Amino acid sequence: MMQVFRPGAELPDDKDWWRGAVIYQIYPRSFQDSNGDGIGDLAGIIHRLEHIKQLGVDAIWISPFFRSPMLDFGYDISNYCDVEPIFGSLGDFDALISRAHDLGIRVLIDLVLSHTSNQHPWFQESQNSRDNHKSDWYVWADPKPDGTPPNNWLSIFGGSAWEWSGDRMQYFLHNFLKEQPDLNLHNPEVQDALLGIVRFWLERGVDGFRLDTVNFYFHDSQLRDNPALDPARRNATIAPEVNPYNWQDHLYSKNQPENLAFLKRLRSLMDEYGATTLVGEIGDGQYGMQLQAAYTEGDDKVHMCYAFDLLSGNEPSAEFFGQVLRTHEREIGDGWACWAFSNHDVTRHASRWALGEEQRALFASILLSLQGSVCLYQGEELGLTEAYVAFEDLQDPYGIRFWPKFKGRDGCRTPMPWTSDYPHGGFSSHEKPWLPMAAEHLSKAVAVQENDDESLLAFYRRMVAFRHARPALERGSLTVVRDSDGVLAFLRVQGDERLLCAFNMSAEPRDFTLPEGDWVADPEAPYKADLSQPIAPFSAVFAQQSV
């Protein structure tokens, strides 16, 4: 194992620290603006790390801050090894890692390996001709005889996944914006270059990576058409209903078996650096859990993956959660999941699921009781709802394309409220931040909730601490024991510790029969419970059993 200098205090050398960890996602544009330009930055993150420390999480995941024309706000990278100036500098990043490590917080960064910006030098060279050194670094294909694209593949951002280049008289593949051409990972040189980028950031001391669209790395080399998807199997899990992307079964444009060999190469590199981790994002509406299992089984690929099952708009009933957890139990094998209810790509779950104040605490307790690891999205600990963003203020090209049926992702990306002062809640001193501060968020600001023991922020802190205090919650098995009539209940078991977690998701008291054995209410649980009484509305029971 390679010895690497990690700035800041020495963290415990636990190669399994990520199992059961709580990771806090930071969307840097909207977290804290330190220089008054209306855009959050790395120095702003440093300034607010104490808030994250108080929350009790194990790590932060920072969405992209690399050099980029910002057409997809950092997910279109033009230089993987430098910081976009609006976010600061490499020196700022080094300082961020050092300060985070001093606070005992590990740092993961968002790495986009499936595609680059069309302004990346690799693409600039690749499109110049068909015989230059990087001509095969992207996915190029000739048109059909009638000039139309090579096949029927669609872009998640709408329209064909192919864009014509007059320079090469060929089409290039883009699964997202046309300004985000897909890399050709069938080319070993491309793989080597990407692994070199991974090593660059590991050498700077990062503790791991969140891998954007990890199932999109490879395409079918024969470029076969995707078949139509049975309408009964359509869903809006990863694309809005108005997008015909949902009408295809994406058998050939992604999810290719060649990906497993590359993930093994990537994991081998990570293992050189000790206690690091990989979190893969699986964007698929039909095969998410199967891919999650395949990518995380054994100890030679991705450490953990998340799919979109609990990021969807499905009604959050006990039956739905039970179905997801039973499927996970059946599919995952020895793999590892990473769960989230919200992130930068989906409507905030407080709005998506129409949760009241009590429900937001209850759902936090459910999330933080699941088997696997957990991602929290900035602001969910405050109970933030989806913000309304007027069309003239929209920044997201996805929302602009499908407005008004789909309003895009800006509503979950508005600035973090630190104080209740209008208009910008302590986020920025700029006259007009890149997205407006939602007025309704000001009353939920960190400063408002900070010293209130009854606040949602205080509840999140207690629940994170409770998770860390119970090995069964961090790393134990999960078995569903009830998912009906508004009650979701499961057993978490680790060694001699058995913990029953029962959640009343309904607005009425619910009777609940304890499993066989002697059970006592957990005295440290964030909910106080009398096991002889029905479970109160929007409340939970955590009970221990000695073995």
Side-chain angles (χ1 to χ4, degrees), residues 82-97:
D82 200 5
V83 174
E84 173 61 33
I86 63 172
F87 296 126
S89 65
L90 281 172
D92 292 324
F93 180 77
D94 293 341
L96 192 163
I97 286 193

Side-chain angles (χ1 to χ4, degrees), residues 148-164 171-180 182 216 226 239-248 250 253 397-398 400-402 406:
T148 55
N151 61 30
N152 70 344
W153 296 353
L154 297 174
S155 163
I156 283 187
F157 282 176
S160 172
W162 297 95
E163 181 70 11
W164 178 252
Y171 284 95
F172 65 83
L173 179 67
H174 61 93
N175 275 297
F176 300 92
L177 294 175
K178 69 180 189 302
E179 293 85 3
Q180 293 172 293
D182 276 58
F216 282 75
N226 283 327
E241 291 180 358
V242 295
N243 191 344
Y245 185 87
N246 297 323
W247 294 20
Q248 287 189 358
H250 300 276
S253 52
Y398 206 0
I400 293 170
R401 172 71 184 264
F402 287 107
F406 174 64

Side-chain angles (χ1 to χ4, degrees), residues 8 10-11 25 40 64 70 119 126 138 164 196 227 233 260 271 315 348 350 377 398 409 452 461 492-493 518:
E10 190 70 24
L11 296 172
Q25 182 193 355
M70 292 290 158
Q119 295 184 30
S126 185
Y138 292 81
W164 178 252
R233 296 178 62 205
L260 295 175
D271 287 347
E315 181 186 355
R348 286 187 177 273
Y377 179 51
Y398 206 0
R409 302 165 294 178
D452 179 1
R461 289 173 175 173
R492 301 297 314 276
V493 179
D518 295 325

Side-chain angles (χ1 to χ4, degrees), residues 182-201:
D182 276 58
L183 285 160
N184 177 21
L185 271 78
H186 288 285
N187 184 333
E189 290 185 350
V190 173
Q191 294 188 30
D192 291 344
L194 294 176
L195 293 177
I197 290 159
V198 171
R199 189 180 294 278
F200 172 86
W201 290 104

Side-chain angles (χ1 to χ4, degrees), residues 111-326:
L111 207 51
V112 187
L113 301 181
S114 63
H115 55 268
T116 70
S117 164
N118 62 353
Q119 295 184 30
H120 196 292
W122 295 348
F123 185 75
Q124 296 291 308
E125 182 175 350
S126 185
Q127 73 173 344
N128 278 340
S129 69
R130 300 190 186 194
D131 56 6
N132 67 78
H133 176 67
K134 291 186 171 57
S135 62
D136 193 38
W137 278 43
Y138 292 81
V139 184
W140 295 97
D142 291 326
K144 291 180 179 178
D146 62 358
T148 55
N151 61 30
N152 70 344
W153 296 353
L154 297 174
S155 163
I156 283 187
F157 282 176
S160 172
W162 297 95
E163 181 70 11
W164 178 252
S165 169
D167 293 311
R168 286 185 47 145
M169 298 295 286
Q170 285 183 307
Y171 284 95
F172 65 83
L173 179 67
H174 61 93
N175 275 297
F176 300 92
L177 294 175
K178 69 180 189 302
E179 293 85 3
Q180 293 172 293
D182 276 58
L183 285 160
N184 177 21
L185 271 78
H186 288 285
N187 184 333
E189 290 185 350
V190 173
Q191 294 188 30
D192 291 344
L194 294 176
L195 293 177
I197 290 159
V198 171
R199 189 180 294 278
F200 172 86
W201 290 104
L202 289 170
E203 291 288 339
R204 296 201 88 87
V206 303
D207 301 288
F209 303 92
R210 179 265 189 181
L211 300 173
D212 185 66
T213 58
V214 70
N215 57 315
F216 282 75
Y217 290 173
F218 285 82
H219 64 284
D220 174 48
S221 58
Q222 299 180 50
L223 302 183
R224 286 171 284 188
D225 279 351
N226 283 327
L229 183 67
D230 183 341
R233 296 178 62 205
R234 290 180 195 166
N235 62 69
T237 300
I238 67 163
E241 291 180 358
V242 295
N243 191 344
Y245 185 87
N246 297 323
W247 294 20
Q248 287 189 358
D249 193 354
H250 300 276
L251 294 181
Y252 301 115
S253 52
K254 58 184 180 182
N255 305 340
Q256 298 305 292
E258 294 93 332
N259 204 18
L260 295 175
F262 175 70
L263 294 180
K264 290 179 180 180
R265 292 192 66 193
L266 178 55
R267 176 62 176 269
S268 178
L269 172 57
M270 297 294 293
D271 287 347
E272 293 180 26
Y273 289 81
T276 57
T277 196
L278 296 167
V279 185
E281 176 203 30
I282 295 178
D284 194 276
Q286 282 72 46
Y287 310 106
M289 279 206 185
Q290 293 95 319
L291 293 167
Q292 185 182 61
Y295 288 7
T296 63
E297 66 180 357
D299 59 358
D300 60 350
K301 295 179 284 296
V302 177
H303 298 76
M304 49 185 163
C305 281
Y306 72 86
F308 280 73
D309 302 88
L310 298 183
L311 290 161
S312 70
N314 296 74
E315 181 186 355
S317 64
E319 291 80 2
F320 169 67
F321 271 77
Q323 175 190 349
V324 170
L325 295 177
R326 291 178 194 277

Side-chain angles (χ1 to χ4, degrees), residues 65-113:
F65 51 82
F66 314 103
R67 288 263 184 179
S68 168
M70 292 290 158
L71 295 180
D72 192 23
F73 301 104
Y75 288 89
D76 50 326
I77 297 172
S78 58
N79 185 342
Y80 282 99
C81 297
D82 200 5
V83 174
E84 173 61 33
I86 63 172
F87 296 126
S89 65
L90 281 172
D92 292 324
F93 180 77
D94 293 341
L96 192 163
I97 286 193
S98 182
R99 178 58 179 153
H101 286 176
D102 283 344
L103 292 171
I105 301 169
R106 301 180 193 262
V107 179
L108 314 183
I109 64 174
D110 209 326
L111 207 51
V112 187
L113 301 181

